[in-house]
Amino acid sequence: MSAATDTDARATKYKRVLLKISGEALMGDQGYGLHPPTVERIAREVQSVHALGVEICMVIGGGNIFRGLQGSAQGMERTTADYMGMLATVMNALAMQSALEGLGVFTRVISAIPMDQVCEPYIRRRAVRHLEKKRVCIFAAGTGNPYFTTDTAATLRANEMSCQAIFKGTKVDGVYDKDPVKHDDAVRYDQVSYDEVLQKHLGVMDASAIALARDNSLPIIVFSLDEPGGFRGILAGEGTYTKVGP
């Protein structure tokens, strides 16, 4: 790491973080699938934070390709539907890896379901070593188990990697008491506790993920992924966001 980058890393509040985004974030204005310009835009946001010397993990959902719960609701057996959703997250992770490496950022896709020809299997110590070498680690295939969401997988991996925070990139600039797209009088929280999120059903992450974050005092930073430079700005102490935590 250069001296300048080392100085930038010391200036940021968080030295190792996990970025959680939905699969839908990668489809742009399309109804499904991957939108390459959108994937590249998000990759540039990650690159800008990586340039600060911050160690970055990522978890990307698979809802732009296949969502297990929806498949289950249409009569598909739930376990099968969830495994299909896990495979969709691997496809998204590979797309993000390609975009990041096109920008010169060394990246590893690490899957909870072994598929050695396309990505690495999940081994915690190896993943930690990748982060120490300033490689971006994209964790794919959820936890490797059905009935667990990628929100829960993100919280699990963030704890295993000793991340200092989860950054949840969404379409709005924080957590609101109601949907700000539908309600003009929606109020944004600057900070909210884990228990409030659960009690008020604020929809930050599913209950298992929030409980796991609470039990390990892991803060969740909810911000707008559509705001250019927003990810880097928050790490530099600027921007609008909601902190979920103690």
Side-chain angles (χ1 to χ4, degrees), residues 81-98:
D82 279 356
Y83 278 122
M84 291 174 69
M86 290 180 222
L87 295 177
T89 71
V90 177
M91 295 171 68
N92 284 338
L94 292 171
M96 183 58 65
Q97 178 186 42
S98 177

Side-chain angles (χ1 to χ4, degrees), residues 4-17:
T5 303
D6 190 41
T7 301
D8 286 339
R10 286 197 300 267
T12 61
K13 182 177 181 180
Y14 302 109
K15 306 299 185 285
R16 180 181 293 176
V17 301

Side-chain angles (χ1 to χ4, degrees), residues 70-89:
Q70 290 179 353
S72 178
Q74 293 171 11
M76 186 177 291
E77 197 267 326
R78 173 67 188 272
T79 301
T80 299
D82 279 356
Y83 278 122
M84 291 174 69
M86 290 180 222
L87 295 177
T89 71

Side-chain angles (χ1 to χ4, degrees), residues 6 16 18 23 27 65 80 97 189 192-193 195 198 204 237:
D6 190 41
R16 180 181 293 176
L18 185 142
M27 67 187 187
I65 299 171
T80 299
Q97 178 186 42
Y189 297 94
V192 62
S193 71
D195 289 337
L198 294 172
V204 176

